[in-house]
Amino acid sequence: MLVLLLSGFCLGGTTPTAKDSGYEYKGTGYLTVVYALKVIVAISILSGIAYGALKLMKKYNLNPAAFNDEIKLKAVKTILGDKKAAIIEARGREYLVAISRDNITLIAALEGAPKTKKGASK
């Protein structure tokens, strides 16, 4: 809606044209400058809104890509049709969950040996 209002501000408006004033318009001049200023104002308003939205996303951590690292899928096994059992890791802990078409159910929180790096001896 904001884009429609700004486009009307830039291209519409009540600025008289050369035909309306009753004389032949030669070259560029006042009308072109008015339209150029309106376009510049509209672009600066839109870029200001975009900048403000990006600052808010950064401030409140609303970046959708930031949520992808919190839950990792370790293993999945199909049980019956579309029902599955999965082991997931969320914030450093592992959980066994049941996944169906309608919901996800926590079965158990897994506790095991501490994690070791590959190649390290136990």
Side-chain angles (χ1 to χ4, degrees):
M1 181 156 170
L2 182 64
V3 174
L4 292 174
L5 289 173
L6 289 175
S7 65
F9 171 73
C10 291
L11 302 175
T14 59
T15 306
T17 61
K19 289 182 181 178
D20 294 337
S21 58
Y23 64 91
E24 185 180 342
Y25 184 69
K26 295 178 182 177
T28 61
Y30 171 76
L31 297 177
T32 307
V33 172
V34 170
Y35 288 127
L37 288 175
K38 285 183 179 182
V39 169
I40 290 170
V41 168
I43 289 173
S44 64
I45 289 171
L46 287 176
S47 51
I49 290 171
Y51 178 75
L54 288 174
K55 291 297 267 184
L56 284 175
M57 285 178 63
K58 186 176 180 181
K59 181 178 180 180
Y60 294 109
N61 197 16
L62 298 176
N63 185 4
F67 296 106
N68 292 340
D69 294 337
E70 293 188 21
I71 297 176
K72 295 180 183 174
L73 192 62
K74 294 284 191 165
V76 178
K77 179 72 175 175
T78 302
I79 300 172
L80 294 170
D82 63 344
K83 296 178 183 171
K84 299 176 183 178
I87 298 174
I88 62 169
E89 181 182 344
R91 297 186 180 183
R93 298 190 64 196
E94 291 184 349
Y95 300 97
L96 178 62
V97 295
I99 304 171
S100 68
R101 174 178 252 172
D102 298 327
N103 61 9
I104 298 173
T105 306
L106 175 65
I107 297 174
L110 303 176
E111 296 181 22
K115 297 179 186 177
T116 59
K117 294 182 180 178
K118 287 185 178 181
S121 60
K122 294 182 180 180

